[in-house]
Amino acid sequence: MKLITCLHKDQERVGALTEEGVVFLPCPDMNALIESCSPAALTLPSAVRPVPLEDVQLLAPIPRPRQDVICLGMNYRDHAREAAKYDAESFAKDRPAAVYFSKRVSRAGDPEGVIPQYQGLVERLDYEAELAVIIGKTAGNVKAEDAGDYVFGYTVLNDVSARDLQTGRKQWYFGKSLDGFTPMGPCILTADETAFPPALDISCTVNGEERQRSSTSLLIHSIPEIIQELSAVMTLLPGSIIATGTPAGVGMGLDPPKFLEAGDVVACTIQRIGTLRSTVR
């Protein structure tokens, strides 16, 4: 099932995408839906007439995440190489351990939304197409072999980054957490719709030019490994979001680097989930 959050007649609603349109679900928001229902138990209300998709405005599937988004750095080998080449002091990875950081998100960016440019503050604005994992139930001390039972679904996330703030401060939190730097969507693909762990094509274009193309099967640290390691030391609540890393082709990795400018359109696509499109303004 594909689940969305949208605006309909100025009211925020949760719904499921069908061939006929959007079927609204009786939940106040996506976090409440995730906490109350497993993917396998989701059913559509009977005798409900779908609303045409063009009559709603898509929002981020989880507009207001319950916790900071947990992110993995350099979780594709080709991206790890390009990052170290750009700034070895900031990005060199000489140990096999996973690199974790977080993004503060008060409001996630919407599909077909805007990435703010922050003129005068940010000179090196970058994109990162990523598969985001949505946790479905409280997870503590989860074994890797059981990790799939804790996944509610997946969405597309653009880990927008201010490279100058990220590298200049020798920590990543500030340069990753500016308002508007976490677009998500267009939907959540529930976990029962794909194999675990998912092996999906992932790509990104800027103004129609392909910059990134890879597969989520190439993660250095797999989703089961990530959930086991994180849940051993921190409780993951229903609705928690884990961004699994980006492949090569980000702006800082190109020769010469190509950072985002006003008017640029960034389209991040993951097979079976859809395309998250954002415009820099």
Side-chain angles (χ1 to χ4, degrees), residues 18-175:
T18 71
E19 292 183 358
E20 293 77 29
V22 180
V23 175
F24 294 129
L25 301 174
C27 278
D29 57 40
M30 190 65 75
N31 281 322
L33 175 63
I34 293 169
E35 192 162 20
S36 65
C37 196
S38 69
L42 279 171
T43 58
L44 299 182
S46 59
V48 173
R49 187 175 181 177
V51 173
L53 183 58
E54 56 267 24
D55 289 350
V56 307
Q57 176 188 340
L58 288 180
L59 305 178
I62 304 177
R64 291 163 292 278
R66 295 181 64 181
Q67 298 176 301
D68 280 9
V69 174
I70 302 171
C71 305
L72 275 88
M74 299 174 290
N75 201 27
Y76 290 78
R77 287 184 175 82
D78 53 3
H79 176 58
R81 288 191 293 268
E82 71 176 1
K85 184 177 179 181
Y86 176 76
D87 188 331
E89 183 179 354
S90 297
F91 295 107
K93 183 181 177 184
D94 56 4
R95 293 181 296 171
V99 174
Y100 296 108
F101 61 95
S102 65
K103 291 174 76 83
R104 171 70 64 180
V105 186
S106 58
R107 176 65 166 79
D110 300 329
E112 306 296 338
V114 170
I115 296 172
Q117 192 178 17
Y118 288 97
Q119 287 187 345
L121 175 65
V122 178
E123 300 296 333
R124 291 181 278 166
L125 183 64
D126 212 346
Y127 54 88
E128 296 188 8
E130 307 201 10
L131 175 72
V133 177
I134 314 298
I135 297 297
K137 58 184 179 180
T138 301
N141 292 310
V142 175
K143 300 302 182 185
E145 57 266 28
D146 299 324
D149 297 336
Y150 289 80
V151 175
F152 181 84
Y154 309 93
T155 192
V156 185
L157 184 147
N158 186 349
D159 178 17
V160 180
S161 306
R163 299 299 186 193
D164 36 0
L165 302 183
Q166 180 184 9
T167 59
R169 293 172 180 261
K170 307 306 177 188
Q171 50 80 25
W172 296 3
Y173 190 73
F174 186 71

Side-chain angles (χ1 to χ4, degrees), residues 76 129-132 154-157 189 194-195 197-204 210 212-219 244-245 247 267-276:
Y76 290 78
E130 307 201 10
L131 175 72
Y154 309 93
T155 192
V156 185
L157 184 147
L189 180 73
T194 188
L200 304 172
D201 295 336
I202 179 171
S203 63
C204 178
E210 186 172 281
Q212 295 181 281
R213 178 164 293 278
S214 189
S215 169
T216 62
S217 65
L218 299 177
L219 295 175
T244 57
C268 303
T269 301
I270 297 180
Q271 180 185 8
R272 303 194 63 188
I273 302 175
T275 297
L276 169 66

